[in-house]
Amino acid sequence: DSTNADSPGFTQPERSVGESLESIVALAPGRIIVASFASHIHRIQQVMDAAALHGRSLAVIGRSMVKNVNIASNLGYLNVPEGLLIRPHDIALLPADRVVILSTGSQGEPLSALARMASHDHPLVEITKGDTVVISARPVPGNETSVYRTIDRLFASGARVIYESSA
């Protein structure tokens, strides 16, 4: 609750994030990877809604993301459209422009799925030219170095990276 307390002005409503995500999914030519807090269920729903709206399948990667998506959907907090979810192993079977990957790692955690992708150390996903990566969270104070290290590695892999400073 206090992350942005020292920032002047107002925080944009969550609805504006959903509109931005929808626009990105509509316009991105290749694969889209969205990193968010695994506990931000509303943000996860917005990613699902944008993927479904544009006919993309969604793979969920990262232990805490998989766990929270399962719990939230089982409890009825997430509305998962029929046929939206695919197994991470099936990502490579679909055309890149039909895939959204929802991932952990928005804070640059070294063992997170996104950091492993950026370091070419993830067993299922390698960042390639044409990928669009959205870091859908502001860095928590103290995590800036880790977040920007991950962003640098994503750029070096040829991805288009959208994060707060560039959005």
Side-chain angles (χ1 to χ4, degrees):
D1 289 339
S2 62
T3 300
N4 299 307
D6 59 349
S7 300
F10 297 92
T11 301
Q12 292 292 321
E14 185 65 20
R15 165 179 73 249
S16 67
V17 175
E19 292 165 358
S20 295
L21 285 169
E22 194 276 323
S23 177
I24 292 164
V25 173
L27 299 173
R31 196 168 55 170
I32 301 166
I33 298 133
V34 180
S36 178
F37 286 108
S39 60
H40 198 328
I41 302 304
H42 187 255
R43 183 72 49 86
I44 293 168
Q45 184 69 64
Q46 289 178 316
V47 173
M48 288 183 170
D49 292 345
L53 180 66
H54 294 285
R56 289 182 182 247
S57 296
L58 181 83
V60 181
I61 294 184
R63 276 187 293 252
S64 60
M65 188 67 76
V66 169
K67 181 176 122 184
N68 286 355
V69 165
N70 285 335
I71 290 169
S73 60
N74 287 337
L75 293 174
Y77 292 113
L78 276 176
N79 175 27
V80 182
E82 189 69 34
L84 176 71
L85 295 179
I86 60 170
R87 296 175 327 133
H89 288 85
D90 294 335
I91 292 169
L93 301 176
L94 296 173
D97 65 348
R98 300 285 72 173
V99 175
V100 173
I101 299 168
L102 180 60
S103 172
T104 56
S106 65
Q107 296 302 302
E109 306 92 331
L111 298 178
S112 69
L114 185 64
R116 292 183 67 199
M117 288 178 220
S119 297
H120 307 287
D121 185 38
H122 195 276
L124 299 173
V125 180
E126 181 153 344
I127 302 297
T128 60
K129 186 175 174 70
D131 287 343
T132 297
V133 179
V134 179
I135 300 182
S136 191
R138 288 184 177 145
V140 171
N143 290 350
E144 297 91 349
T145 301
S146 297
V147 170
Y148 290 113
R149 180 181 306 116
T150 299
I151 290 170
D152 287 346
R153 289 178 176 159
L154 292 166
F155 276 124
S157 297
R160 173 181 172 223
V161 185
I162 301 170
Y163 55 103
E164 183 187 22
S165 300
S166 68

